[in-house]
Amino acid sequence: MEDEITFSASILIVFLSSPVIFYAILSGIYFFAFDKRPKYDKGITRYLVYLMFISFVISLPISFYVDHKLKNGGYLTCDKISWQSPTTYVTNLSHCQ
């Protein structure tokens, strides 16, 4: 393990929600180019939105799990600049900047 680990649950949300954004952009380009919606648009959109909502639900328990495992592994948390900034785990508080 490293001396400093940075973790943010929002990264997981962005990673799992990005297919919705990419599909929205691509289907918008397709619509403006061909003046019709892509085939199976409703089904694809439905499943991608489900994936996005699941990412919101899954991110909270994963965040608690990572926090618990790292603190039990001897890591300490540095103070955050704001509530939106990622959590930094360090082995020694002198590594906090």
Side-chain angles (χ1 to χ4, degrees), residues 38-54:
K39 193 174 183 180
Y40 307 117
D41 183 51
K42 290 182 182 180
I44 292 170
T45 305
R46 181 182 316 126
Y47 289 116
L48 290 176
V49 169
Y50 287 155
L51 178 66
M52 183 182 69
F53 284 125
I54 288 171

Side-chain angles (χ1 to χ4, degrees), residues 49-84:
V49 169
Y50 287 155
L51 178 66
M52 183 182 69
F53 284 125
I54 288 171
S55 72
F56 287 118
V57 173
I58 288 176
S59 69
L60 186 64
I62 287 176
S63 178
F64 286 132
Y65 175 75
V66 168
D67 184 65
H68 175 73
K69 289 300 270 187
L70 288 175
K71 285 184 178 177
N72 281 345
Y75 283 88
L76 304 167
T77 58
C78 294
D79 293 331
K80 289 184 171 186
I81 297 171
S82 73
W83 66 274
Q84 295 177 340

Side-chain angles (χ1 to χ4, degrees):
M1 299 289 276
E2 297 181 21
D3 290 336
E4 183 177 328
I5 297 174
T6 304
F7 177 76
S8 177
S10 61
I11 298 296
L12 179 68
I13 293 172
V14 168
F15 179 72
L16 291 176
S17 298
S18 60
V20 173
I21 296 167
F22 291 136
Y23 182 73
I25 292 169
L26 290 177
S27 64
I29 292 170
Y30 183 86
F31 179 77
F32 287 119
F34 299 110
D35 200 29
K36 64 179 180 176
R37 292 176 67 176
K39 193 174 183 180
Y40 307 117
D41 183 51
K42 290 182 182 180
I44 292 170
T45 305
R46 181 182 316 126
Y47 289 116
L48 290 176
V49 169
Y50 287 155
L51 178 66
M52 183 182 69
F53 284 125
I54 288 171
S55 72
F56 287 118
V57 173
I58 288 176
S59 69
L60 186 64
I62 287 176
S63 178
F64 286 132
Y65 175 75
V66 168
D67 184 65
H68 175 73
K69 289 300 270 187
L70 288 175
K71 285 184 178 177
N72 281 345
Y75 283 88
L76 304 167
T77 58
C78 294
D79 293 331
K80 289 184 171 186
I81 297 171
S82 73
W83 66 274
Q84 295 177 340
S85 62
T87 306
T88 303
Y89 298 93
V90 293
T91 55
N92 188 353
L93 288 178
S94 64
H95 294 296
C96 294
Q97 297 174 3

